[in-house]
Amino acid sequence: MVTSLWNAATGMNGQQANIDTISNNLSNVNTTGFKQHRVEFEDLLYQNRKLAGTPATEDTVTPVGVQVGHGVKVGATQRIMTQGSLQATGVDTDIAIVGDGFFRVQQYDGSWAYTRDGTFKVDSTGQLVTANGLRVIPEIILPEGFQLETLSISDRGRVSVKIDGSLEAVDVGQLELYRFPNAVGLENTGDNLYKVTNASGDPIASRPGLDGMGITKHKFIEMSNVSVVNEMVAMIVAQRAYEFNSKAIQTSDAMLQTATTLKR
């Protein structure tokens, strides 16, 4: 009887984690380059009250055993790395990745981080940076006197711009993309950034459109891949599962109460 109380408690805790993840997905439905998360559950240990294959007679064994489970736990939060929809913005410094790959940026402590968010800006020195001022690596520095409205970025990541008084565009840099053997193993650090872990493997660098990399789309951004409808359905299922587990606790409590009133 006590086992059922604790089993239902683990179920409620698990569904709370599920709702937490769903709410995070929904809150980031308009976050550029955001990737949906999904909670994956695992059952806990089992108590073997009778092992399968235990001898029943001299010539037979029991075909099945008796096992009592001890609830559920959150096994993982899987990141879904499917492509988000593209949105045309007309902004000269917006870049979307279509396919595999991440942009690399340099953080304030000198370490590298990776992002799918291509809503870049140009700082006071003409350098391509993120909204938080992190430099895009390899560095893209626009020359003095550049005309931002003439900025052009090809599908292969080649960056060119016209300078005041010039009719011809000049090349100013080459964007690179980075992919990972296990991209879902990257660690979210906030600000639309990911950090390398032992699970993700080391980054593999290449130019857009080469070696399995995606291509770059100028004046587009990649939207979140969260489906609001699917998340709402998942929320309903999680809510009902939470209610079922709470009912199991109430039922177990009622049965214990019945047992305590057998002797008056």
Side-chain angles (χ1 to χ4, degrees), residues 70-142:
H70 284 78
V72 68
K73 68 175 181 179
V74 175
T77 50
Q78 173 75 31
R79 187 183 301 111
I80 311 299
M81 299 299 292
T82 55
Q83 177 78 42
S85 61
L86 298 185
Q87 178 178 328
T89 64
V91 178
D92 295 307
T93 52
D94 282 349
I95 313 169
I97 300 174
V98 181
D100 198 6
F102 296 83
F103 297 111
R104 174 186 275 180
V105 298
Q106 187 172 28
Q107 300 190 95
Y108 302 121
D109 61 0
S111 62
W112 290 329
Y114 300 86
T115 183
R116 295 275 299 189
D117 181 3
T119 55
F120 297 133
K121 319 296 179 189
V122 177
D123 67 8
S124 59
T125 65
Q127 187 158 347
L128 201 64
V129 297
T130 68
N132 292 322
L134 304 181
R135 293 183 297 171
V136 178
I137 304 298
E139 293 183 348
I140 303 296
I141 302 176
L142 303 181

Side-chain angles (χ1 to χ4, degrees), residues 6-51:
W6 289 107
N7 285 358
T10 64
M12 293 182 72
N13 287 333
Q15 293 306 323
Q16 180 61 62
N18 195 13
I19 288 291
D20 291 342
T21 301
I22 293 170
S23 64
N24 184 62
N25 288 339
L26 290 171
S27 65
N28 284 283
V29 71
N30 288 324
T31 300
T32 307
F34 179 80
K35 299 303 178 185
Q36 170 197 0
H37 288 73
R38 180 189 69 204
V39 175
E40 297 178 349
F41 296 101
E42 296 177 355
D43 51 355
L44 293 174
L45 295 173
Y46 286 82
Q47 178 184 1
N48 286 312
R49 297 184 177 177
K50 183 172 72 173
L51 293 174

Side-chain angles (χ1 to χ4, degrees), residues 11-255:
M12 293 182 72
N13 287 333
Q15 293 306 323
Q16 180 61 62
N18 195 13
I19 288 291
D20 291 342
T21 301
I22 293 170
S23 64
N24 184 62
N25 288 339
L26 290 171
S27 65
N28 284 283
V29 71
N30 288 324
T31 300
T32 307
F34 179 80
K35 299 303 178 185
Q36 170 197 0
H37 288 73
R38 180 189 69 204
V39 175
E40 297 178 349
F41 296 101
E42 296 177 355
D43 51 355
L44 293 174
L45 295 173
Y46 286 82
Q47 178 184 1
N48 286 312
R49 297 184 177 177
K50 183 172 72 173
L51 293 174
T54 301
T57 66
E58 292 183 357
D59 301 322
T60 62
V61 296
T62 55
V64 294
V66 177
Q67 289 186 306
V68 177
H70 284 78
V72 68
K73 68 175 181 179
V74 175
T77 50
Q78 173 75 31
R79 187 183 301 111
I80 311 299
M81 299 299 292
T82 55
Q83 177 78 42
S85 61
L86 298 185
Q87 178 178 328
T89 64
V91 178
D92 295 307
T93 52
D94 282 349
I95 313 169
I97 300 174
V98 181
D100 198 6
F102 296 83
F103 297 111
R104 174 186 275 180
V105 298
Q106 187 172 28
Q107 300 190 95
Y108 302 121
D109 61 0
S111 62
W112 290 329
Y114 300 86
T115 183
R116 295 275 299 189
D117 181 3
T119 55
F120 297 133
K121 319 296 179 189
V122 177
D123 67 8
S124 59
T125 65
Q127 187 158 347
L128 201 64
V129 297
T130 68
N132 292 322
L134 304 181
R135 293 183 297 171
V136 178
I137 304 298
E139 293 183 348
I140 303 296
I141 302 176
L142 303 181
E144 186 176 352
F146 70 88
Q147 301 173 5
L148 185 59
E149 64 275 8
T150 67
L151 180 67
S152 176
I153 302 172
S154 72
D155 289 355
R156 295 299 179 94
R158 196 66 191 169
V159 183
S160 61
V161 69
K162 289 183 181 180
I163 304 174
D164 289 341
S166 174
L167 297 178
E168 297 293 331
V170 295
D171 288 341
V172 294
Q174 171 67 52
L175 291 171
E176 285 189 352
L177 298 182
Y178 300 80
R179 60 184 177 88
F180 297 85
N182 179 35
V184 297
L186 292 168
E187 178 186 351
N188 287 89
T189 61
D191 297 327
N192 292 351
L193 300 177
Y194 299 93
K195 185 171 70 175
V196 175
T197 67
N198 291 334
S200 67
D202 294 328
I204 303 168
S206 186
R207 294 183 178 183
L210 300 177
D211 304 319
M213 294 294 184
I215 60 174
T216 52
K217 282 295 182 183
H218 187 210
K219 299 183 180 182
F220 283 82
I221 58 173
E222 180 189 10
M223 300 300 293
S224 166
N225 68 349
V226 173
S227 169
V228 174
V229 173
N230 290 341
E231 294 300 317
M232 294 303 294
V233 171
M235 183 184 297
I236 293 171
V237 173
Q239 180 183 1
R240 295 308 178 198
Y242 192 89
E243 291 177 358
F244 294 152
N245 281 283
S246 69
K247 291 296 184 182
I249 291 178
Q250 293 174 11
T251 301
S252 298
D253 178 57
M255 294 173 70

